[in-house]
Amino acid sequence: MTPIVARTREELAQARSKTEGTLALVPTMGALHEGHLSLMRQARRSADAVAVSVFVNPLQFGPGEDFDRYPRTFAADLEACAAEGVDLVFAPTREVMYPGEPQVTIKSGPMGEVVEGAARPGHFDGMLTVVLKLLNLVRPDVAIFGEKDAQQLAMIRRMVADLNVPVEIVGAPTVREPDGLALSSRNRYLSVPERRTALALARALRAGADALASGPDAVLAAARAVLAEAEAAEPPLALDYLVLVDPSTFTEITGPHAGRAVLAVAGRVGATHLIDNLPLDFGKEH
Ligand code: PAF
């Protein structure tokens, strides 16, 4: 079944008036891969109908980032949506989403300035602004986001709570290649040697998880050791951060800790910015 494709707000409103029962939205920037397909399957389990949005949001890219070269593969994306039985694809142009220069945007607050927000200033303001616009336009009952972007997911949950947005936010687990590399639309930028170096992110997280029983310092030390090798490799990893954070505030955990945490890592290999994370549970205090 080919999904209905809405390009304008009018087409979206018309298509939306025809959807029956509850609706789950999967917001994407296209270049769909198996990770997105798992979000669509989660959407199908969460609601009667499934919508996917495809929009490369200029507001969340900083100067010098990859907005211009971000992969745009709409024909293949539409095929993937059709194969997953998606009911509605909203694929607006820039003019539809931003008819004029936006004057009022979302400010992501303190969580938007730490970890990935510190590495990419303004990124989370732009991301939250487009997510709120998509939620207002599509009016889903449920919206699905990947846990691979753990800080993004935490910030969307916070925005929805703080601004009383009437939608349920559901997170879906990260999908990985058999060798551990987290799926990302940006993986297609990587050459074979770059991909080899990039694998260090997932390996570092696993090494950290293996040291869980010894506490936060041991987790960070084990992950750092793997990353240090990748920083010395050819091509090298340019590490942006490795942090252990609280899953809902993204404040750094220093010293002993009890309960849940996220081990998050990011870096560049060549010109490609990659992020990954692993949820951890320290149980009783370490
Ligand atoms: O995760 C993404 O692909 C984007 O940040 C999102 C949520 C679609 C907003 O542009």
Side-chain angles (χ1 to χ4, degrees):
M1 187 194 71
T2 310
I4 297 175
V5 178
R7 293 276 189 186
T8 63
R9 288 162 180 232
E10 295 70 26
E11 286 170 4
L12 175 64
Q14 203 183 21
R16 186 66 183 92
S17 70
K18 288 188 195 134
T19 51
E20 282 174 13
T22 52
L23 179 70
L25 172 65
V26 180
T28 80
M29 298 205 298
L32 302 181
H33 51 65
E34 196 59 40
H36 295 110
L37 305 191
S38 85
L39 301 184
M40 294 176 204
R41 288 168 201 155
Q42 178 61 59
R44 180 57 69 199
R45 290 192 292 275
S46 305
D48 300 316
V50 175
V52 171
S53 64
V54 176
F55 179 64
V56 186
N57 173 36
L59 249 56
Q60 69 189 75
F61 289 78
E65 290 188 10
D66 56 344
F67 175 71
D68 287 332
R69 73 171 184 135
Y70 198 85
R72 285 153 173 93
T73 58
F74 188 66
D77 293 345
L78 197 54
E79 271 178 36
C81 289
E84 288 301 320
V86 167
D87 301 279
L88 167 62
V89 172
F90 179 44
T93 58
R94 185 180 183 141
E95 291 67 36
V96 166
M97 285 305 281
Y98 300 110
E101 190 62 27
Q103 299 284 310
V104 178
T105 54
I106 297 289
K107 183 101 188 74
S108 53
M111 214 199 305
E113 284 162 18
V114 295
V115 191
E116 185 68 3
R120 301 182 68 191
H123 166 69
F124 286 121
D125 295 354
M127 180 281 293
L128 288 179
T129 299
V130 85
V131 168
L132 186 60
K133 283 168 74 74
L134 289 167
L135 294 175
N136 285 335
L137 287 164
V138 180
R139 292 180 293 101
D141 300 279
V142 184
I144 319 286
F145 297 88
E147 288 170 2
K148 152 111 181 348
D149 296 301
Q151 192 173 0
Q152 165 171 288
L153 176 58
M155 299 202 56
I156 291 168
R157 286 191 197 285
R158 189 65 208 231
M159 173 179 75
V160 161
D162 284 353
L163 301 183
N164 306 104
V165 185
V167 67
E168 183 192 346
I169 301 300
V170 171
T174 303
V175 179
R176 296 178 182 280
E177 303 270 15
D179 60 8
L181 188 71
L183 294 193
S184 161
S185 302
R186 291 189 167 99
N187 288 353
R188 64 186 79 195
Y189 298 151
L190 297 170
S191 67
V192 173
E194 285 173 344
R195 190 187 179 288
R196 207 177 311 121
T197 297
L199 262 181
L201 299 186
R203 283 200 293 112
L205 296 176
R206 273 203 312 274
D210 287 346
L212 186 67
S214 307
D217 288 348
V219 165
L220 286 166
R224 235 177 251 129
V226 175
L227 295 170
E229 274 176 38
E231 286 177 292
E234 191 47 52
L237 168 74
L239 185 67
D240 284 331
Y241 57 79
L242 168 75
V243 284
L244 195 61
V245 292
D246 177 287
S248 50
T249 61
F250 268 70
T251 47
E252 264 193 74
I253 292 167
T254 49
H257 181 70
R260 293 185 323 116
V262 169
L263 183 61
V265 65
R268 268 167 300 106
V269 184
T272 306
H273 176 76
L274 297 166
I275 64 172
D276 200 354
N277 74 85
L278 209 57
L280 299 177
D281 192 342
F282 286 93
K284 297 207 179 73
E285 186 164 304
H286 275 279

